[in-house]
Amino acid sequence: MLKHKISQEEKFQMMTTAPIPSLIGKMAVPTIISMLITSIYNIADTFFVSRLGTSATASVGIVFPVMAIIQALGFFFGHGSGNSISRRLGAKDTERAEQLAGIGFFSAFLCGLCVTVLGLLFLEPLSLLLGSTSTILPYTKDYLGIILLGAPYMTAQLVLNNQLRFQGNAFYAMIGITSGGILNIFLDPLFIFKFNMGVSGAALATILSQFVSFLLLLWGIKISGCIPLKLKSMKYLKYNLKIIAQGGLPSLFRQGLGSISILALNLAANPYGDAAIAAMSIVSRISQFAISALIGFGQGFQPVCGFNYGAKKFSRVREAFWFCVKVSTVVLIFIGITGFLFAGSLISVFRKDDLQVIVIGTVALRMQCVALPLSGWVIMNNMMTQTIGKTFKASLLAAARQGIFFVPAVLVLPPLLGILGIQMAQPVADICAFLLAVVINRSIMKEMKEEEKAYE
């Protein structure tokens, strides 16, 4: 049964007065479900394509940087408009919130269209640049050529999802995302095996499912009482785009560098053959699934953080932050131990007949599980700094895990340690990002206390 439509005033009262644990729980449950479903259908692509062979499995990992770029644009405009909207609503500035919503959505769609055109024009050079070997290239072109067709609405749907979340309507965001994810899981085997479409079938299943999500999220915006999306709201473009950029740059760095990091990982693994690329692709998907619940939990924190920061309720921002850090760390310790113990079994689910893939992937996954509990601290600090508009520090922290620390690690360690260097690059980067987050947290908390004193 759908939730009733609530007014902006009711949302304000709920966000700024409800008890923090129950409020974050209410916000986080739908976003956790959304993130888990999204990760499941990403894993489903890899799982079903893995039945076609090691080279086909590797192609999904090869294309992942392009998917990350599409997501980077969506999160740039989605987080940039969304966290700004939540602060504006916290300050009861509805007119500016409407402008940010419209500009964020339509700009994302246009950028996605540019990705489609440029990607299709340079399909083969792009496939080679991404790290395709001669045996992987045909699969990459088939998969990527179809994925690119969905870029405009895949980008725009991430804006819709984030604008719903940041306005306290995570339930409708969940409906849109999970419906598309579940549909993808059913369409994958149908298109890949029943219709004998191979990797093209996996790509088609993805873009059709994403389109369904896009339509449902548009419907959610309309019926949930959210700020409406109107072309006439696109005013003061230069000023509002600057606001969106300030809020979205950390996401652009995080997702964009995620694309670069996967590209660097694929290139580093290339000399070790298709098995190494496939193994690291599988590990990336499993790790992404493990982190997805954490990100969903953090997304439940963000609207609470934004509304209360905009309303100058700084003590509630700090309370919400520490609550999320404690809960996420405990959960990640459990997930890390489980993943470490069953790493070999998890890898073999995807390529049980390829011993080389299992051996390489098991070591890499175990190393990442050891560092996994540190991710809660890093991600919650990143989400807080981004939501309260601390652009430089948020961008620095967003770039740390998969850019500032990972890219040098994956370039430097393999020549020294061989394939072990590839396997340990991510946990090394995670440890460094954790230490950076400690420094940034101290400065942010100091600044927040100074703002609090000035406001009083």
Side-chain angles (χ1 to χ4, degrees), residues 353-409:
D353 56 346
D354 194 324
L355 183 60
Q356 191 176 5
V357 170
I358 295 171
V359 170
I360 295 171
T362 299
V363 174
L365 183 56
R366 282 180 172 162
M367 287 186 172
Q368 292 193 24
C369 284
V370 170
L372 186 64
L374 304 179
S375 299
W377 172 254
V378 176
I379 289 174
M380 293 306 164
N381 272 287
N382 191 195
M383 288 184 167
M384 178 177 68
T385 52
Q386 182 176 4
T387 304
I388 65 177
K390 305 295 182 181
T391 306
F392 174 75
K393 290 177 181 177
S395 299
L396 183 64
L397 193 51
R401 183 174 182 265
Q402 292 189 301
I404 295 172
F405 298 122
F406 178 80
V407 173

Side-chain angles (χ1 to χ4, degrees), residues 72-85 87-88 96-108 159 163 233-252 386 389 391 395:
L73 291 171
F75 282 124
F76 171 73
F77 290 107
H79 284 160
S81 62
N83 59 42
S84 301
I85 288 169
R87 293 199 304 273
R88 292 296 181 276
R96 182 68 67 186
E98 289 180 355
Q99 294 168 11
L100 291 164
I103 292 171
F105 174 77
F106 292 111
S107 299
V159 177
Q163 289 188 3
S233 296
M234 296 183 68
K235 301 175 182 178
Y236 311 108
L237 285 176
K238 184 177 180 180
Y239 176 76
N240 284 320
L241 281 172
K242 182 179 178 181
I243 292 174
I244 289 173
Q246 289 173 342
L249 275 175
S251 294
L252 186 64
Q386 182 176 4
T391 306
S395 299

Side-chain angles (χ1 to χ4, degrees), residues 113-439:
L113 188 61
C114 291
V115 171
T116 298
V117 174
L118 292 173
L120 291 176
L121 283 175
F122 300 101
L123 182 59
E124 183 162 336
L126 177 59
S127 299
L128 291 169
L129 179 65
L130 292 170
S132 295
T133 63
S134 59
T135 50
I136 297 172
L137 181 61
Y139 296 104
T140 302
K141 290 172 64 178
D142 287 346
Y143 191 81
L144 179 58
I146 294 174
I147 288 293
L148 286 167
L149 296 175
Y153 59 81
M154 288 166 69
T155 305
Q157 73 143 333
L158 289 170
V159 177
L160 297 173
N161 178 40
N162 282 288
Q163 289 188 3
L164 278 162
R165 286 195 308 101
F166 276 102
Q167 294 178 66
N169 291 293
F171 174 79
Y172 293 97
M174 178 191 71
I175 293 295
I177 295 297
T178 56
S179 297
I182 292 169
L183 179 61
N184 199 153
I185 293 168
F186 283 102
L187 291 182
D188 263 338
L190 181 66
F191 289 168
I192 294 171
F193 304 116
K194 182 69 174 178
F195 297 157
N196 295 314
M197 295 179 67
V199 293
S200 298
L204 182 60
T206 296
I207 66 167
L208 287 176
S209 302
Q210 297 270 5
F211 185 65
V212 170
S213 289
F214 172 72
L215 295 178
L216 289 172
L217 289 166
L218 272 177
W219 171 74
I221 289 283
K222 183 177 181 180
I223 69 169
S224 65
C226 277
I227 298 297
L229 301 171
K230 300 176 183 177
L231 278 170
K232 67 180 182 180
S233 296
M234 296 183 68
K235 301 175 182 178
Y236 311 108
L237 285 176
K238 184 177 180 180
Y239 176 76
N240 284 320
L241 281 172
K242 182 179 178 181
I243 292 174
I244 289 173
Q246 289 173 342
L249 275 175
S251 294
L252 186 64
F253 282 128
R254 181 171 54 249
Q255 296 296 132
L257 287 169
S259 175
I260 294 173
S261 70
I262 295 296
L263 174 59
L265 179 62
N266 289 336
L267 292 174
N270 189 287
Y272 301 95
D274 292 3
I277 297 174
M280 297 311 297
S281 174
I282 292 168
V283 170
S284 296
R285 297 289 178 157
I286 294 173
S287 299
Q288 183 185 42
F289 179 75
I291 295 279
S292 64
L294 167 64
I295 293 174
F297 185 57
Q299 287 174 346
F301 159 69
Q302 284 182 300
V304 178
C305 177
F307 265 84
N308 284 282
Y309 190 80
K312 309 299 182 184
K313 293 181 178 290
F314 302 108
S315 62
R316 283 177 62 83
V317 175
R318 289 192 295 269
E319 181 186 353
F321 168 76
W322 287 113
F323 171 76
C324 289
V325 168
K326 292 172 185 175
V327 172
S328 62
T329 302
V330 170
V331 172
L332 287 174
I333 289 172
F334 173 77
I335 294 174
I337 292 172
T338 304
F340 187 93
L341 293 175
F342 297 100
S345 300
L346 290 171
I347 301 297
S348 64
V349 168
F350 296 87
R351 292 298 299 154
K352 64 181 180 181
D353 56 346
D354 194 324
L355 183 60
Q356 191 176 5
V357 170
I358 295 171
V359 170
I360 295 171
T362 299
V363 174
L365 183 56
R366 282 180 172 162
M367 287 186 172
Q368 292 193 24
C369 284
V370 170
L372 186 64
L374 304 179
S375 299
W377 172 254
V378 176
I379 289 174
M380 293 306 164
N381 272 287
N382 191 195
M383 288 184 167
M384 178 177 68
T385 52
Q386 182 176 4
T387 304
I388 65 177
K390 305 295 182 181
T391 306
F392 174 75
K393 290 177 181 177
S395 299
L396 183 64
L397 193 51
R401 183 174 182 265
Q402 292 189 301
I404 295 172
F405 298 122
F406 178 80
V407 173
V410 83
L411 293 177
V412 172
L413 293 177
L416 298 174
L417 303 172
I419 197 164
L420 179 61
I422 297 172
Q423 294 164 321
M424 66 186 297
Q426 189 62 69
V428 167
D430 288 345
I431 293 169
C432 294
F434 173 82
L435 296 174
L436 176 63
V438 171
V439 175

